Amino acid sequence: MFKIGCHLSIANGFLKAGKNIVALGGNTFQYFSRNPQGGQARPWDQGDFDGFMEYASVVGIEGLLCHAPYTLNACSANPQTREFARMVFKSDIIMLEHFPNALYNFHPGSHTGQGVEEGIRQIVEILNEVIYPEMKTTILLETMAGKGSEIGRSFEEIAEIIRRVDYKEKLGVCLDTCHVYSAGYDIVNHLDEVLEEFDAIIGLERLKAIHLNDSKMPFASNKDRHEKIGQGTIGLEAILRIINHPRLKDLPFYLETPNEDEGYQKEIELLKKCRKY
């Protein structure tokens, strides 16, 4: 089954978001655990959750992806920012443990001048604090474009974080097509080679989700500027090779393109029409 969806708000509940994604033609969606710029999480509503789970089982929604707020920076030089990251991780995991096999995506962070080695050390420290053996949630490290002091711009940096985490079986990766292209991985002309490199360094078995975005910026620009599907420098042909690739086709794809509902609906329709399987 082609798992395709987009980013939706859960401000009005999971059930409302589930009905929205079905109306848009999708069967999965991504949502922020709280305001993307920080703040308090939406209070847990067990009735809404139960209603959503029943609805999802009927219409075939599966594989939701929860995205941590952008303000979560586990490797900031500011101790208060790192403490906020700890709080968000712990709070969000409590919520996500209600779901069977939940996915939780986060940006590894920016070391803010401390250097990559110290940044990775701090990320690993927090992950080792919040991950526990019985946890059902899988935490995903997102591939990054490499702007400024971002960590996660290379497969090697992500692999090093995974290597140092105690319960590494609880970790996976979310590959963002805009980010990896901007980071210098040529998924337009050399998709097979990029996937082989990912497999050799991280392992394709850890790839759990794909953010499907075109890019406003040129290849290897280290700029994080998403574009609508087929209107950027990656282009429609390359996007279609990605969704139809034998090693990627069974993963869930989440659109983060600059769209409102109507635009997402058109993109989902286009991608479903061009899906070969």
Side-chain angles (χ1 to χ4, degrees), residues 63-74:
L64 300 194
L65 180 62
C66 178
H67 199 306
Y70 295 137
T71 47
L72 188 157
N73 187 357

Side-chain angles (χ1 to χ4, degrees), residues 36-177:
Q37 301 306 323
Q40 295 297 314
R42 179 179 179 273
W44 182 256
D45 184 336
Q46 188 64 41
D48 170 62
F49 173 74
D50 292 341
F52 167 74
M53 293 300 290
E54 181 178 356
Y55 177 74
S57 68
V58 172
V59 299
I61 296 173
E62 58 181 59
L64 300 194
L65 180 62
C66 178
H67 199 306
Y70 295 137
T71 47
L72 188 157
N73 187 357
C75 60
S76 170
N78 186 331
Q80 291 180 322
T81 303
R82 295 200 304 275
E83 186 54 38
F84 175 76
R86 282 187 176 87
M87 181 277 291
V88 170
F89 264 122
K90 291 177 180 179
S91 173
D92 287 354
I93 288 171
I94 289 172
M95 175 191 69
L96 287 164
E97 285 296 285
H98 289 88
F99 290 89
N101 306 313
L103 298 175
Y104 183 54
N105 180 70
F106 81 106
H107 293 181
S110 296
H111 62 71
T112 59
Q114 301 180 97
V116 172
E117 172 58 32
E118 177 61 12
I120 288 177
R121 187 196 69 78
Q122 291 175 342
I123 294 167
V124 170
E125 179 182 276
I126 290 180
L127 288 174
N128 277 334
E129 181 178 332
V130 301
I131 296 174
Y132 54 94
E134 300 80 20
M135 190 176 82
K136 295 179 295 182
T137 302
T138 300
I139 296 176
L140 306 186
L141 295 137
E142 183 172 340
T143 58
M144 303 307 295
K147 67 181 187 294
S149 59
E150 278 182 344
I151 291 178
R153 69 182 69 198
S154 71
F155 297 159
E156 286 83 1
E157 289 179 0
I158 290 175
E160 183 61 16
I161 294 170
I162 295 171
R163 186 186 71 81
R164 297 192 199 181
V165 170
D166 294 335
Y167 299 111
K168 53 181 59 63
E169 68 275 11
K170 308 294 184 181
L171 294 178
V173 175
C174 176
L175 187 148
D176 186 299
T177 55

